[in-house]
Amino acid sequence: MPPVDPVSLTTLLSAAAVAGWVDAVVGGGGLLLLPALLLGAPGVPVATALGTNKLAAIFGTSTAALTYARRTKLDWAVAGPAAGLAVLTAGLGAVLAGAVPAGAYRPVVLVVLVSVAVFVLTRPRLGVVSLPGRRTPVRVATAVAVAGLGIALYDGLIGPGTGTFLVVAFTALVGADFVHASAMAKVVNAGTNLGALVVFAATGHVWWLLGAAMAVCNVAGAAVGARMALRRGSGFVRVVLLVVVLALMGKLGYDQWVA
């Protein structure tokens, strides 16, 4: 690992803590952590930044998942199979990560993010309360496929926004409120991080020492974020969701048309 100066190291550790908080509440912590890695260590290969991010993130998402599991009821019939699929699918995405140019995915993701923002804004009651009537066998199977295949593949390829997409998918498809959707998202996100990390580690694209230090900060942020989401409820998670979606849209829009 190339040397990282003290200022950049402090910035990276701070970004890891904040990213852990964001990920625990609604996902999207990679929006902070990946740019921080790329800026804090100029010249780092994108695959190495992704792999180091996964090392930090897997500890944070696992901490958040455990916190949610202890304090609320998880829908394991959805989260369990989706997480199992996600390990394999995210691993496949990580294998393909170096072959997909950034310009190929940004427009698609931007369209999805705009759709998510409009969807949430035009449905003020979405995710505020649970809608158990939506939880049919077909919808459960669809949620497992969307989370464990589609979103997990995206996480292995790129990453930022994965948790956000999972929260919206579980809310829209099986009628979970935002707190329970976020809980399920953490379980699946831990699976995607594991699958991608195994591949990045096997190909030498992880900075272990830096990633371990970032993981400690990520865990601290995740623990605080999960407890705050549980304490403040779905309305709070909804606000954070919209802020993260708008931030993702701004970042990808800047990368697409300005940078």
Side-chain angles (χ1 to χ4, degrees):
M1 183 185 81
V4 179
D5 65 83
V7 173
S8 295
L9 179 60
T10 301
T11 300
L12 286 169
L13 296 180
S14 300
V18 176
W21 185 91
V22 172
D23 265 336
V25 176
V26 76
L31 172 70
L32 299 171
L33 211 46
L34 271 178
L37 276 164
L38 292 169
L39 290 172
V44 59
V46 174
T48 303
L50 286 168
T52 306
N53 172 55
K54 293 303 178 191
L55 175 59
I58 191 171
F59 286 95
T61 51
S62 298
T63 297
L66 287 171
T67 301
Y68 279 116
R70 288 171 181 162
R71 300 192 179 200
T72 190
K73 186 177 180 180
L74 275 169
D75 189 344
W76 286 108
V78 176
L85 278 175
V87 174
L88 300 176
T89 311
L92 174 62
V95 170
L96 301 174
V100 180
Y105 73 85
R106 285 183 193 139
V108 176
V109 177
L110 272 170
V111 170
V112 173
L113 285 170
V114 170
S115 301
V116 166
V118 171
F119 186 73
V120 175
L121 284 170
T122 55
R123 290 166 173 78
R125 301 299 297 169
L126 178 73
V128 176
V129 295
S130 63
L131 300 171
R134 288 188 180 180
R135 197 185 179 287
T136 65
V138 172
R139 283 178 171 269
V140 167
T142 302
V144 169
V146 168
L149 298 176
I151 298 176
L153 180 65
Y154 166 80
D155 192 30
L157 281 167
I158 308 300
T162 295
T164 305
F165 296 148
L166 288 169
V167 169
V168 173
F170 292 141
T171 302
L173 291 172
V174 293
D177 62 59
F178 279 131
V179 169
H180 288 85
S182 190
M184 288 190 285
K186 293 315 116 207
V187 174
V188 179
N189 212 173
T192 64
N193 286 333
L194 175 60
L197 177 60
V198 168
V199 172
F200 286 126
T203 54
H205 284 296
V206 178
W207 285 348
W208 292 101
L209 188 58
L210 177 61
M214 292 169 64
V216 173
C217 298
N218 199 257
V219 165
V224 173
R227 287 178 173 84
M228 190 175 292
L230 286 163
R231 186 171 64 250
R232 297 196 176 186
S234 294
F236 169 72
V237 178
R238 174 188 171 84
V239 172
V240 177
L241 171 68
L242 286 170
V243 170
V244 170
V245 167
L246 292 173
L248 280 165
M249 287 167 55
K251 173 64 169 61
L252 287 173
Y254 177 86
D255 289 345
Q256 180 69 22
W257 292 297
V258 179

